[in-house]
Amino acid sequence: MMVRTHGLKKHFQDPKTGLKKAVDGIDIEAKPGRIFGLLGANGAGKTTILRMLSTVITPTSGTSEVAGFDIIKQPQEVRANIGFMSSSTALYGRLTSREVLEYFGRLYGLDEKRLKDRMKYVIDKLQIEEFADRLCDKLSTGQKQRVSIARTILHDPKVLFFDEPTAGLDVVTSQTVMEFIEEARDLGKTVVFSTHIMSEVERLCDDLAVIHDGVIVATGTPQTMREISGEQNLERAFLHLVKFQAGYVSARLGTV
Amino acid sequence: MNEVMIIVRKELREMFRDKRVRFNAFVMPLFLILMMVQLFGFVMKAAVGGTKSTVYFVDSTGGVGESLNKSAISGAVTKGGLGIKTVSSIDEGIKLIQQEKAKLVLALMPPTTDGQVRVEAYYDPKQQMGNLALSGVEQALAKANKEALVETLKEKSIPESAAERIKIIPKEVKVGQAGAGAMIVSLLPYMIVLFAFSGGMSMAADLVSGEKDKNTLETLLITPVERTHIVLGKFLSLAGVCFLSSVSCLAGMALASAIKLPGSELMFKDGFGVTPIAALTIIIVLLPLVAFFASVLIAISSYAKNPREAQTYLAIVNFIVIMPAVFSQVIGLTDLGTKLWINCVPVLNTANNIRAALLGKTDWLAVGITVGVSALLAAIAIIVAVKLFNREEVLVRV
């Protein structure tokens, strides 16, 4: 198992609303060569889980192993073995694409020869060469996303985390990202992917956890979700699982 | 440590590609120094009479004034480097002063019974140029009076020394190495200290809160590099820019001296005046100060939610830094500069040691205390910066 969590919790103290249980004891397992989806509405706790798994924030309690390393005891080893990307991940505007890749390659400890080889590989693979020496500020959204993907896989990580990687992207760029995620799975990488877009779940996810208010309400394959909820449409299955009540919003607005 | 240098290289590359940084950290101090040298040079020239003031003259003797007196006065005045014009009455002269068209009006009054020639001098005491013109006239007439007295004494075979029973003979005592001129000594420490902080201000907000705002911080935190190394890399690059910005002031002064900027002749009458020892002292006291400033800037940037909040805090801190730097300009009017305890006052201690170095009076004990105090503060500030950067809030605080 490449990613396994044990009762992972993250509670924040909100000055206005008091204690906020962003993640409240989740247990998930993600395997190599498969895409694990975290499906949930905005604010469900998906980003917090991925941030804990990538050791950027520390769990309130519980722990997890990522690529065989404990996220609390061996955070550096965890980070050396993961790649992380989200739609909001940005690049340094005053550096060229090539300089960004070199910078991160060195931070990931690649020696000069390996750095050169890996840079050639990702630049060719993602067709970056024509704009590799252009400042990132001058790149289109699609080009920036390709450079972001290149940065994510440059050090050839075993585990890849994607936090809503297509949010706000156009159809063509989203397609590039999804193709890349599928390719990573085919290469035997472990992919953990958060989204709230059902079509992406249908297309990409082998395994799934539905998250609502920081807790997992269901796990399994997309087909399992349909069976548990008794709904054939995945979107309806999701709404059933999170106990969404039709007319709730209109009722609150006083129009029903 | 290699990781630190990777970050330093990247940060410096980014900073030097930023127009704001190039302008604020390097062009601005050069430009300001050149401008101030010209401005102060002009003022100094005016103060010592280099700029010709015009004095208005009116004959109020009612016809009993001797033309000899008139010409003696106007002769002395013009000899003193002042121009002279006539007006018809005192009232007209006063009107000219009120309209700020005249700085000084001299009215020749009827002589006293014992033959003393009296001149009334009308001026606005709040007008510096009026005060300067009056002082110029007084000096010129004192000289003329003395010459007349000596002449009279000579006619009566009395020795010239009787005109001045006690004579002061000023003798300059050389203290320390040859140093820079007074205006440089007053101006340069302030500018050097000021730019050690404000030179780094323009990019400080970008370094942490800016990365958070632009969504690049998370990517950096996910690399296997320790957060402490990330902070150190950012700190070193910022300290480098702060230091270079400060040195730009020194370079600006050297440039102003080399190109003999019009109006700066009096300021550089003895040359640039910064000896190798002075330059070495400046660098020694400056290094821990820029380390202190850079770590404060990083700490602020790590604490702020976004660059706008960081800019607000930076503006306040900048004000706190300016205060002791401003005081360093007038410290020469007190004897505080020579007290050992002054070297324990942050920022002011550095400015004061730079001042002493420019005067050619480097005191190595004072330098040692200053370096120790600044280094201690830098160490505390960098620890705070590291702690702030290691908090989760550096990423999730919104």
Side-chain angles (χ1 to χ4, degrees), chain A residues 157-178:
Chain A
K158 293 176 188 159
V159 180
L160 290 163
F161 294 128
F162 293 94
D163 186 16
E164 300 192 358
T166 60
L169 299 182
D170 63 46
V171 180
V172 178
T173 316
S174 297
Q175 191 63 24
T176 313
V177 174
M178 285 197 282

Side-chain angles (χ1 to χ4, degrees), chain A residues 10 51 56-58 76 79-80 84 88-92 94-95 99 103-104 106-108 135 151, chain B residues 6-7 10 13-14 17-18 211 214-216 218-225 227 392 395-396:
Chain A
K10 185 67 187 178
R51 281 180 169 170
V56 176
I57 58 174
T58 316
Q76 269 181 282
R79 290 200 297 271
F84 188 100
S88 62
T89 302
L91 301 166
Y92 295 104
R94 286 188 289 272
L95 297 187
E99 286 166 348
Y103 177 54
F104 280 98
R106 293 201 166 103
L107 290 181
Y108 276 100
L135 292 181
R151 179 198 54 73
Chain B
I6 293 167
I7 292 168
K10 174 259 173 188
R13 180 180 276 168
E14 261 205 306
R17 282 183 186 166
D18 187 344
E211 281 225 35
K214 291 175 191 157
N215 291 316
T216 51
E218 190 166 19
T219 326
L220 183 60
L221 297 181
I222 286 165
T223 63
V225 181
R227 288 195 184 189
E392 281 179 1
L395 185 68
V396 295

Side-chain angles (χ1 to χ4, degrees), chain B residues 58 112 123 132 170 217 263 280 305-306 332 339 343 346-347 356 391:
Chain B
V58 53
T112 57
Y123 71 110
L132 284 171
L217 186 61
L280 179 70
K305 280 189 280 190
N306 53 51
K339 308 280 186 204
N343 299 294
V347 185
R391 296 174 316 150

Side-chain angles (χ1 to χ4, degrees), chain B residues 144-277:
Chain B
N145 279 339
K146 195 180 167 193
E147 281 167 9
L149 180 61
V150 167
E151 199 60 39
T152 309
L153 292 172
K154 228 185 233 174
E155 279 168 17
K156 300 191 174 187
S157 304
I158 300 170
E160 196 182 313
S161 58
E164 200 174 10
R165 184 60 54 91
I166 301 168
K167 186 179 173 75
I168 298 283
I169 304 155
K171 297 279 183 190
E172 289 184 5
V173 177
K174 193 181 161 219
V175 181
Q177 305 289 312
M183 194 55 85
I184 299 173
V185 169
S186 162
L187 184 67
L188 203 50
Y190 167 70
M191 298 295 284
I192 286 175
V193 168
L194 185 70
F195 275 97
F197 188 83
S198 60
M201 256 178 75
S202 56
M203 80 290 295
D206 278 356
L207 278 174
V208 182
S209 55
E211 281 225 35
K212 181 182 167 185
D213 200 48
K214 291 175 191 157
N215 291 316
T216 51
L217 186 61
E218 190 166 19
T219 326
L220 183 60
L221 297 181
I222 286 165
T223 63
V225 181
E226 275 181 45
R227 288 195 184 189
T228 305
H229 289 177
I230 296 175
V231 183
L232 286 177
K234 287 176 179 288
F235 156 75
L236 284 176
S237 52
L238 187 59
V241 171
C242 289
F243 181 74
L244 289 176
S245 183
S246 258
V247 171
S248 293
C249 293
L250 206 57
M253 199 59 97
L255 181 68
S257 160
I259 62 175
K260 298 194 180 357
L261 211 59
S264 65
E265 302 85 359
L266 281 169
M267 200 179 262
F268 297 115
K269 66 177 179 196
D270 300 322
F272 179 39
V274 179
T275 61
I277 292 285

Side-chain angles (χ1 to χ4, degrees), chain A residues 49-67:
Chain A
I49 293 170
L50 293 183
R51 281 180 169 170
M52 282 192 282
L53 292 179
S54 55
T55 80
V56 176
I57 58 174
T58 316
T60 307
S61 67
T63 189
S64 174
E65 291 101 46
V66 175

